[in-house]
Amino acid sequence: MSDLRMGAALWDDELPQLKVVEKILKLKEERNALILAHNYQSAEIQFVADYVGDTLSLSMLARDAEQPIIVFCGPDFMVETAKILAPDKIVLYANDNARCPMAAMITPEDLRTLKKTHPNAKVVGYINTSAECKCEMDICCASANAVKIVRSLDAEDIIFVPDQNLGSYVRRMVPEKTILIWSGFCSVHHMIHKEDVLDLARAHPRARIIVHPECRPEVVDLAAAVLSTDGMIMYAASSEDREFIVVTELEVVNRMIEDNPDKEFHGIEKAYCRTQKKVKLENVLKSLETLAPEVSLPGDVIERARLPIERMLAVGRAELATQGVKHDT
Ligand code: SF4
């Protein structure tokens, strides 16, 4: 599929939705609020957002924003990460029921136990974790910089949490270290199997395969390039190739189709994150109207959780140059 958006329609019910959009844009100005949306958010949410990007670029935008109010359209851990980096701002969940299943697959208690049993290991935690878990980590990583972060550490033993697939990818790229990997997974990327990608490759033999590192190792093995979501978007725009099989959440494929009308993209139909799609226009409007639900984290959690994020930023600054995509609405 190359000329149509994949998955849900852009607008379910056009006229009422447009009225909600109008109200959101008006209230956003009145409140002096910034709306941030993750790359996996639906098209209508991306439309009302000031910026669309990955977790880290959005958190940095929240930190550096002039606006005192941030409405974050993404799952729980992303909204918390924005608050950790912007503690003096009002950071609002667009929908606090959007809870990432992978972030819930590890607890602070799990991490404390791992640290006791492996006292010489450094703990590297994916940004897709709760604020309380971040308090137990030595350093955070994102999918764009996980390899560089692990290589940068002076420890030989690494505890990598929570994503087993990103952990496996890092282990293969950094064979000189012993990496203990937690068994969590992203329910969207983990359910993509090798045959799903091979079916597409057989149908589109000239297409370049690009894969997110949260996918299973046997899927990663099929990739011409392994990239974060922002990395994929930039790669598709700048590559001289004309046809791509994009192995990540469908909304990224939709975005590529719209941004690159002269190129062809094929996605995995079932790669749809139900968590991210829980954020609806009505939720964004309600957040702006009520200034709730607001992220509320204890001061000591913010302080402790910020440390591993700041360490990551210090190591991975070069990879984190992307600043989301500005949306003029
Ligand atoms: S795609 Fe959905 S399930 Fe996977 S890590 Fe992101 S929010 Fe969590």
Side-chain angles (χ1 to χ4, degrees), residues 38 40-41 55 74-78 98-105 126 128 163 185-190 212 214 248-249 271-277:
H38 187 259
Y40 301 167
Q41 289 288 304
T55 310
D76 49 355
F77 71 85
M78 286 186 205
R99 300 191 169 275
C100 170
M102 177 160 72
M105 288 176 189
Y126 199 16
N128 303 30
D163 184 24
F185 56 86
C186 162
S187 48
V188 176
H189 291 94
H190 194 65
H212 193 281
E214 284 175 16
T248 190
E249 214 272 350
Y272 178 88
C273 179
R274 292 179 193 287
T275 301
Q276 294 257 11
K277 303 304 189 295

Side-chain angles (χ1 to χ4, degrees), residues 17-33:
Q17 293 298 87
L18 285 175
K19 283 193 181 132
V20 179
V21 167
E22 264 176 34
K23 284 187 190 170
I24 288 171
L25 298 180
K26 187 163 175 277
L27 202 50
K28 183 179 75 163
E29 294 303 316
E30 286 170 14
R31 294 279 200 207
N32 191 20

Side-chain angles (χ1 to χ4, degrees), residues 243-293:
E243 191 177 8
F244 303 85
I245 292 168
V246 184
V247 189
T248 190
E249 214 272 350
L250 271 184
E251 214 60 58
V252 176
V253 188
N254 288 332
R255 168 91 171 273
M256 289 172 172
I257 291 169
E258 288 186 3
D259 290 355
N260 306 276
D262 56 330
K263 296 182 180 177
E264 218 175 313
F265 299 92
H266 313 283
I268 307 284
E269 293 274 2
K270 64 182 175 181
Y272 178 88
C273 179
R274 292 179 193 287
T275 301
Q276 294 257 11
K277 303 304 189 295
K278 281 185 180 173
V279 177
K280 309 286 185 200
L281 285 174
E282 289 72 15
N283 300 123
V284 179
L285 180 59
K286 198 166 173 205
S287 286
L288 282 166
E289 284 171 344
T290 61
L291 294 185

Side-chain angles (χ1 to χ4, degrees), residues 110-164:
D110 294 328
L111 276 168
R112 284 192 282 273
T113 305
L114 281 171
K115 281 160 52 170
K116 261 187 215 147
T117 47
H118 302 84
N120 296 323
K122 286 261 165 76
V123 179
V124 180
Y126 199 16
I127 195 106
N128 303 30
T129 44
S130 69
E132 288 76 11
C133 280
K134 288 186 175 75
C135 294
E136 302 295 333
M137 295 171 188
D138 291 297
I139 189 163
C140 273
C141 72
S143 54
N145 65 9
V147 170
K148 181 169 185 179
I149 294 287
V150 170
R151 278 199 188 123
S152 76
L153 298 173
D154 55 8
E156 277 178 22
D157 295 340
I158 305 293
I159 295 168
F160 192 96
V161 300
D163 184 24
Q164 57 176 285

